[in-house]
Amino acid sequence: MSGVSDFIARPRTIGETWVWLTGMGLVAALVMIIGLFGFICYRGVIVFWPTTIVELELSQEAQERFGLPEKIAGRYLGESPRVAWPSTVDEMRPGGGLPEKKYFIGNEESYGSRFGAFTSDEVVARTKPLNLLVAERLEFGEAFLYPVEIKLSNGGAISADSPDFLTLFREELNQINQRRKAIQRLEKVQIGQISWRIEKLRTEERGIRRKGEPVSSSDAARLERIEEELSGLENRYRVFALEARSLRELQGASHLVYRLPHGELDEISLDKVNRVYAPNRLNLWQKVRLYVESLHLFLTESPRESNTAGGIFPAIFGTFVMTVLMSAAVLPFGVIAALYLHEYARQGPLVRLVRISVLNLAGVPSIVFGVFGLGFFVYFIGGGIDSLFFSERLPTATFGTGGIFWASLTLALMTVPVVIVATEEALAAVPAGLREASYACGASKWQTTVRVLIPGSLPGILTGLILAMARGAGEVAPLMLVGVVKLAPSLPINLVPPFIHLDRKFMHLGFHIYDLGFQSPNAEAALPMVFASTVLLILLVVVLNIGAILLRNHLRRKYTTDTF
Amino acid sequence: MSIDAPDFPIRAELPETPKKVEEQDERFIEVKDYSFFYGKKQVLSNLSFDIPERQVTAFIGPSGCGKSTLLRSFNRLNELVENSWQTGDIRIQGESIFSKNLDVISLRRRAGMIFQKSNPFPKTVYENVVYGLKVAGIRKKAVLDEIVERSLKGAALWDEVKDYLHENAHSLSGGQQQRLCIARVIATEPQILLLDEPCSALDPIATGKIEELIHELKKRFTVLIVTHNMQQAARVSDRTAFFYEGKLVEYRNTEDIFLNPMNPRTEAYVSGRFG
């Protein structure tokens, strides 16, 4: 008796304790998300921060052990215990278990490795020399060096002792970089346009010749004209090529003479240097400027040195174009399918079966879609297009090989269930009163659909598109089969006619991360780029989503149906 | 509030047959042995009565008696419900609305409906009024502008919204929204107005405006109104039909049904003893 009343009097409800569990679940999820995102952002953001470079004097044993000279310069990376696995069967690696400091030592071509890790015994002295320069080179990565002089093309020289050496050096470099860009433009745009035209004419010529003998008079006239135009184009090509070659000769004319920390003299053509800075002489403001400059280069340049250096613009652009194309394909396709399923199909077992199949399609592993895309889009449809429209070019495949168009369609197919489900839900959420009002005004079913249902469900449809984009933009596995490449020679949209090249292979941030981090021969050097690319991929997805969310909110305001 | 009484000197190019202005057709709508079913459930059974032209006929009865279903039969909106079917016939001006030759869209233009909960489209006031015209294929701006003004005046809303024609209709008050729905319906020049408890979600002032409006509207339209409010039925209608469990219990002049009901059930209902 008293037990029961006690129980009732106790101010708590049975099951309240579970609230703790749900709260803890949420906290755990948040910690994981924030932790992961914070870590990636931190590692991605500090990549371009200029840090000091130290000069290390190595002990005799260390020099012998690592095959390094007496003095090296390096960027400190971090400390960890040395792994003590045996270097030969009966000899343990010296210093095993001791903490070792890891440095990026640069000058790969001289030292044979870009990294060194030394215990405190192995380093005799550490200094921060002010006149040390970091040179970002187009090959072999960064170099840490002491400048001696610059030999100019006109035979003159700038000595490193002169007070404005760095300014003059930068001016010279700037000029060379501008010229390099001019050469690239010349080759890619002007010469590219000519080659495109030549290629087109050659293809046409081949097509006419393939018809066999006898050549009809109109064809013969056409061939003659093609021949004429080709020779004109080839002349123009020669002019541009000559211009490019003369510019190239200028490029190699000036050199930097420098001294490595251990005293060895060397020289490098300035054409091979991208940027220089004196890391130990920078104040905070200069560091920020350098950081912004590095970030800008990273975002706008093409990759170099098997993607471990340079920028990732082609990957950003490829991801963006692919996602937009995918959205453009998936939206009408999904909305039309959902409209039929929800509005027109007679609800019954068959429609239920279709709906379940669509839902299950969303759970199919993405690589399966990749295989399907390869078989269906690339080989079947692409091959068909090639044999119908591009038969002159065969056996070179145009659409019969992976490309951005097929990749977008494959992803659209993968994400279409998301859009269908969202659209159906949005259609169901349009108030019945609006539907009835439209019918009562004498609208037909189609008019009601177009004028009331679709506008009313647009916010919901866009939510579906946002989810589809979030899934599609980060997907990598299927892309590897249908058109993504490690390094694309040109962008899918550029200045060479026909300007939009949907048949082209493209670069993708997700694949870039995979390739850099796990397929690169120089994974260690690529690690910072992996983090930076990851941050960028996340940012790109966030930006695309925010864009879609803003659009959705705008539409929601416009088509809102409040209940009073 | 004074109602800006609309005059209609100009008839727009609407696909409507001109109404006879002088005589009233006592048998404008004929309901003949009409029964309606949702699946196996019978909602209306064997109704037979006539509705006169250009008068207000009120349908009253307790909830679930089928009066709304009957109202929605006149523009065949019940067809949207799956598994619904009917027997018997409803004729408007002698023509069966279930005839194979009759286009349901033209029927809905002839019999416009106003719903219990006002349901303006989430578009501008202007777009709401011209909706029925646009779906009928009328595109001329001048014609549309004129009809918008005429319809809004006819719904006693013009003075209140003439400066807000291109604002979202959802920014209007509840009563204004309901009058906008009336304007939307009369824009297509129907013959019949079907009002399904048009004031049930409105405050007394807004209700008063709508009731005044109904008095105006009956000069031009045949008005059928479903209502739960006895006073409203007494105030606005010329005839009243009392339904109970899908059957027509009593159908007479409003005055008679309220002052002198013949059926004891009608008496009990109108005097508020059940319902």
Side-chain angles (χ1 to χ4, degrees):
Chain A
M1 162 74 204
S2 71
V4 172
S5 64
D6 272 3
F7 185 76
I8 289 167
R10 218 175 294 154
R12 94 184 153 81
T13 319
I14 297 173
E16 278 292 272
T17 42
W18 295 107
V19 174
W20 279 98
L21 207 65
T22 55
M24 273 166 44
L26 179 69
V27 167
L30 281 179
V31 164
M32 281 194 280
I33 290 169
I34 293 170
L36 174 72
F37 194 66
F39 175 71
I40 290 173
C41 277
Y42 173 71
R43 291 294 301 263
V45 162
I46 58 158
V47 168
F48 303 109
W49 187 251
T51 49
T52 49
I53 309 293
V54 292
E55 192 180 279
L56 304 171
E57 200 181 322
L58 297 180
S59 69
Q60 200 60 43
E61 303 94 78
Q63 291 172 34
E64 280 161 19
R65 205 172 286 153
F66 301 110
L68 287 171
E70 181 194 357
K71 276 184 178 174
I72 57 167
R75 178 185 290 135
Y76 176 62
L77 295 176
E79 197 179 78
S80 56
R82 178 172 287 176
V83 180
W85 64 66
S87 56
T88 62
V89 177
D90 46 20
E91 189 195 2
M92 292 297 277
R93 214 167 150 210
L98 290 175
E100 61 176 2
K101 288 195 160 87
K102 195 169 175 191
Y103 294 90
F104 175 80
I105 56 176
N107 308 340
E108 194 193 10
E109 78 286 9
S110 310
Y111 302 149
S113 156
R114 290 186 191 195
F115 295 91
F118 315 105
T119 60
S120 53
D121 299 342
E122 291 165 342
V123 179
V124 178
R126 280 180 81 193
T127 49
K128 284 184 194 168
L130 286 178
N131 54 347
L132 189 76
L133 277 194
V134 176
E136 273 181 28
R137 300 175 296 179
L138 297 183
E139 284 161 21
F140 303 115
E142 283 173 312
F144 304 136
L145 47 83
Y146 295 100
V148 176
E149 65 169 359
I150 293 172
K151 285 198 260 175
L152 294 171
S153 48
N154 56 14
I158 307 169
S159 162
D161 301 329
S162 72
D164 49 356
F165 169 75
L166 211 55
T167 326
L168 292 172
F169 190 3
R170 286 233 176 86
E171 268 168 26
E172 185 70 20
L173 261 189
N174 209 9
Q175 214 180 339
I176 288 172
N177 282 338
Q178 296 290 342
R179 209 183 293 137
R180 189 184 308 125
K181 275 189 190 137
I183 295 173
Q184 267 171 12
R185 245 196 324 273
L186 203 65
E187 284 176 343
K188 282 217 162 149
V189 182
Q190 262 101 335
I191 296 184
Q193 279 170 356
I194 292 174
S195 334
W196 174 75
R197 189 81 196 114
I198 290 178
E199 165 75 23
K200 246 187 110 170
L201 291 171
R202 286 259 157 78
T203 312
E204 191 183 343
E205 185 188 355
R206 205 155 52 221
I208 293 173
R209 292 207 191 284
R210 252 186 221 180
K211 283 187 199 164
E213 300 291 334
V215 181
S216 73
S217 59
S218 66
D219 277 350
R222 181 78 195 124
L223 278 179
E224 218 161 283
R225 244 174 307 146
I226 288 174
E227 216 44 62
E228 227 168 85
E229 206 174 328
L230 272 179
S231 66
L233 283 169
E234 265 153 28
N235 280 338
R236 274 176 61 202
Y237 171 80
R238 245 171 263 135
V239 172
F240 280 127
L242 210 66
E243 196 182 331
R245 199 185 313 143
S246 61
L247 281 174
R248 251 181 215 298
E249 270 161 24
L250 276 177
Q251 282 296 79
S254 26
H255 288 80
L256 167 70
V257 182
Y258 64 90
R259 185 169 57 76
L260 287 173
H262 62 276
E264 186 188 322
L265 277 174
D266 207 342
E267 69 172 55
I268 179 174
S269 161
L270 284 193
D271 185 31
K272 298 240 156 64
V273 179
N274 196 33
R275 289 199 296 176
V276 287
Y277 60 92
N280 299 346
R281 250 190 285 183
L282 296 173
N283 57 31
L284 186 68
W285 168 238
Q286 285 167 322
K287 279 188 179 179
V288 170
R289 267 183 54 184
L290 202 65
Y291 179 80
V292 172
E293 189 188 284
S294 309
L295 205 60
H296 177 245
L297 288 176
F298 180 66
L299 294 179
T300 54
E301 296 235 301
S302 294
R304 302 191 305 263
E305 301 195 61
S306 62
N307 297 358
T308 58
I312 54 166
F313 179 70
I316 301 173
F317 191 73
T319 311
F320 178 78
V321 170
M322 188 210 68
T323 310
V324 169
L325 274 179
M326 179 203 79
S327 308
V330 76
L331 193 64
F333 194 39
V335 169
I336 288 168
L339 272 179
Y340 185 79
L341 265 184
H342 196 260
E343 297 296 318
Y344 288 90
R346 181 173 287 278
Q347 303 300 316
L350 187 65
V351 166
R352 244 192 334 270
L353 187 72
V354 170
R355 199 168 280 135
I356 290 171
S357 310
V358 166
L359 283 174
N360 280 323
L361 211 57
V364 173
S366 54
I367 190 75
V368 177
F369 283 100
V371 176
F372 176 80
L374 182 69
F376 181 70
F377 290 128
V378 176
Y379 291 155
F380 183 66
I381 297 188
I385 290 175
D386 274 2
S387 59
L388 279 177
F389 301 108
F390 299 100
S391 54
E392 299 93 349
R393 285 195 209 168
L394 286 173
T396 314
T398 310
F399 279 98
T401 173
I404 193 162
F405 187 56
W406 301 135
S408 305
L409 285 189
T410 306
L411 284 190
L413 194 71
M414 190 186 81
T415 49
V416 82
V418 183
V419 177
I420 291 181
V421 170
T423 306
E424 275 213 81
E425 276 169 15
L427 285 173
V430 172
L434 289 184
R435 213 181 278 251
E436 286 180 345
S438 175
Y439 287 130
C441 282
S444 66
K445 189 156 194 165
W446 177 244
Q447 286 171 326
T448 303
T449 304
V450 172
R451 287 162 187 265
V452 176
L453 295 182
I454 292 183
S457 50
L458 259 185
I461 294 172
L462 279 175
T463 307
L465 183 67
I466 290 165
L467 292 173
M469 268 163 52
R471 184 165 177 210
E475 195 62 68
V476 178
L479 298 181
M480 289 157 76
L481 302 181
V482 290
V484 99
V485 283
K486 181 188 168 81
L487 188 66
S490 46
L491 297 175
I493 296 175
N494 62 13
L495 292 173
V496 179
F499 306 114
I500 299 171
H501 313 271
L502 293 183
D503 55 320
R504 277 212 182 138
K505 293 198 184 332
F506 65 108
M507 288 177 73
H508 183 273
L509 274 174
F511 181 74
H512 195 75
I513 292 166
Y514 165 74
D515 180 67
L516 268 182
F518 306 100
Q519 301 291 298
S520 165
N522 206 341
E524 189 97 57
L527 198 62
M529 299 295 271
V530 172
F531 279 110
S533 307
T534 309
V535 172
L536 221 61
L537 177 60
I538 293 172
L539 270 184
L540 189 72
V541 173
V542 168
V543 164
L544 283 171
N545 279 339
I546 286 178
I549 288 170
L550 289 180
L551 184 64
R552 179 183 65 183
N553 291 351
H554 172 74
L555 290 171
R556 202 176 263 164
R557 267 199 302 282
K558 197 167 165 193
Y559 294 112
T560 185
T561 41
D562 56 350
T563 46
F564 55 87
Chain B
M1 106 139 237
S2 75
I3 288 169
D4 208 340
D7 48 348
F8 288 82
I10 308 151
R11 294 199 65 83
E13 299 91 73
L14 288 172
E16 290 301 322
T17 50
K19 279 180 296 212
K20 283 177 254 167
V21 184
E22 295 309 318
E23 322 160 11
Q24 289 192 353
D25 184 351
E26 273 298 311
R27 301 176 64 183
F28 185 70
I29 302 173
E30 299 162 85
V31 180
K32 291 196 164 173
D33 202 24
Y34 183 72
S35 301
F36 188 84
F37 304 83
Y38 288 125
K40 283 182 182 150
K41 190 180 162 229
Q42 182 161 15
V43 188
L44 299 170
S45 31
N46 305 83
L47 305 178
S48 288
F49 62 106
D50 298 334
I51 295 167
E53 190 179 9
R54 274 178 282 126
Q55 289 199 3
V56 179
T57 306
F59 294 171
I60 60 170
S63 297
C65 69
K67 53 195 189 308
S68 284
T69 304
L70 176 62
L71 197 72
R72 294 159 74 96
S73 295
F74 292 111
N75 65 353
R76 286 172 59 182
L77 210 56
N78 280 330
E79 281 175 11
L80 299 180
V81 182
E82 279 188 24
N83 285 329
S84 65
W85 54 289
Q86 72 275 324
T87 61
D89 199 6
I90 295 175
R91 293 182 183 175
I92 297 175
Q93 291 181 304
E95 191 192 355
S96 168
I97 64 166
F98 301 112
S99 142
K100 287 246 183 322
N101 305 328
L102 184 126
D103 174 21
V104 68
I105 286 172
S106 75
L107 170 70
R108 286 178 186 156
R109 270 181 211 139
R110 277 171 76 188
M113 186 163 217
I114 288 107
F115 296 84
Q116 179 173 4
K117 188 169 165 276
S118 66
N119 50 5
F121 300 117
K123 300 169 186 266
T124 62
V125 171
Y126 185 94
E127 283 296 320
N128 262 285
V129 178
V130 301
Y131 185 83
L133 303 163
K134 279 199 169 167
V135 297
I138 298 172
R139 291 267 179 276
K140 277 189 193 151
K141 180 97 172 60
V143 176
L144 293 179
D145 283 350
E146 187 195 309
I147 296 178
V148 165
E149 182 170 349
R150 181 144 45 92
S151 309
L152 286 171
K153 278 181 177 165
L157 193 60
W158 175 252
D159 291 330
E160 291 163 59
V161 301
K162 64 184 175 201
D163 299 325
Y164 308 103
L165 288 181
H166 298 285
E167 303 279 311
N168 194 316
H170 285 271
S171 56
L172 301 181
S173 74
Q176 287 173 327
Q177 288 191 13
Q178 193 61 297
R179 277 179 283 150
L180 177 63
C181 292
I182 294 175
R184 179 172 72 192
V185 165
I186 62 181
T188 53
E189 294 280 306
Q191 295 171 301
I192 304 166
L193 292 185
L194 308 169
L195 280 63
D196 189 357
E197 297 183 46
C199 304
S200 66
L202 302 180
D203 63 67
I205 293 171
T207 303
K209 284 186 187 174
I210 303 257
E211 285 178 7
E212 261 179 272
L213 182 59
I214 291 172
H215 278 294
E216 283 304 313
L217 292 173
K218 80 168 183 185
K219 293 175 187 164
R220 296 158 45 217
F221 306 102
T222 303
V223 180
L224 310 186
I225 177 169
V226 165
T227 179
H228 268 126
N229 182 330
M230 290 307 108
Q231 286 79 18
Q232 184 172 59
R235 280 195 301 265
V236 302
S237 69
D238 303 300
R239 302 225 184 162
T240 300
F242 173 62
F243 294 88
Y244 185 70
E245 290 185 344
K247 294 187 188 70
L248 179 63
V249 177
E250 198 165 346
Y251 175 49
R252 294 161 71 202
N253 284 333
T254 301
E255 231 167 88
D256 297 336
I257 218 166
F258 280 96
L259 298 179
N260 190 15
M262 281 175 12
N263 190 301
R265 223 180 239 138
T266 316
E267 192 191 353
Y269 185 73
V270 298
S271 60
R273 265 179 288 154
F274 92 99

